[in-house]
């Protein structure tokens, strides 16, 4: 099994110690979190596409 590690960003902007990303989560909790993150990424990408499209429309006027 692969173990994903990350460094949390601290309030002062630096990075903390390495920690396991999914430590203590059940498979169902991992899947739910990943699905939620996927949805947020898709929405952010859609917002970016809309912004680029609007900027392109303004540039061609």
């Amino acid at each position: 099994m692969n173990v994903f590690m990350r460094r949390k960003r601290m309030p002062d902007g630096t990075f903390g110690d390495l920690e396991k990303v999914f430590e203590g989560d059940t498979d169902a909790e991992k899947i739910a979190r990943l699905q939620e993150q996927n949805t947020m990424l898709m929405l952010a990408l859609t917002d970016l596409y809309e912004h680029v499209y609007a900027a392109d429309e303004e540039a061609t006027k």
Side-chain angles (χ1 to χ4, degrees), residues 5 15 25 33 35 37 44-45 52:
M5 304 290 286
F15 291 99
D25 290 351
R33 184 181 325 139
Q35 286 174 332
Q37 290 172 348
L45 187 57
V52 169

Side-chain angles (χ1 to χ4, degrees), residues 21-51:
V21 175
F22 296 117
E23 188 171 48
D25 290 351
T26 65
D27 287 344
E29 290 169 329
K30 291 177 196 177
I31 291 169
R33 184 181 325 139
L34 290 171
Q35 286 174 332
E36 181 180 345
Q37 290 172 348
N38 187 47
T39 299
M40 289 187 293
L41 288 170
M42 287 189 298
L43 291 172
L45 187 57
T46 300
D47 288 344
L48 178 62
Y49 285 149
E50 290 174 351
H51 176 74

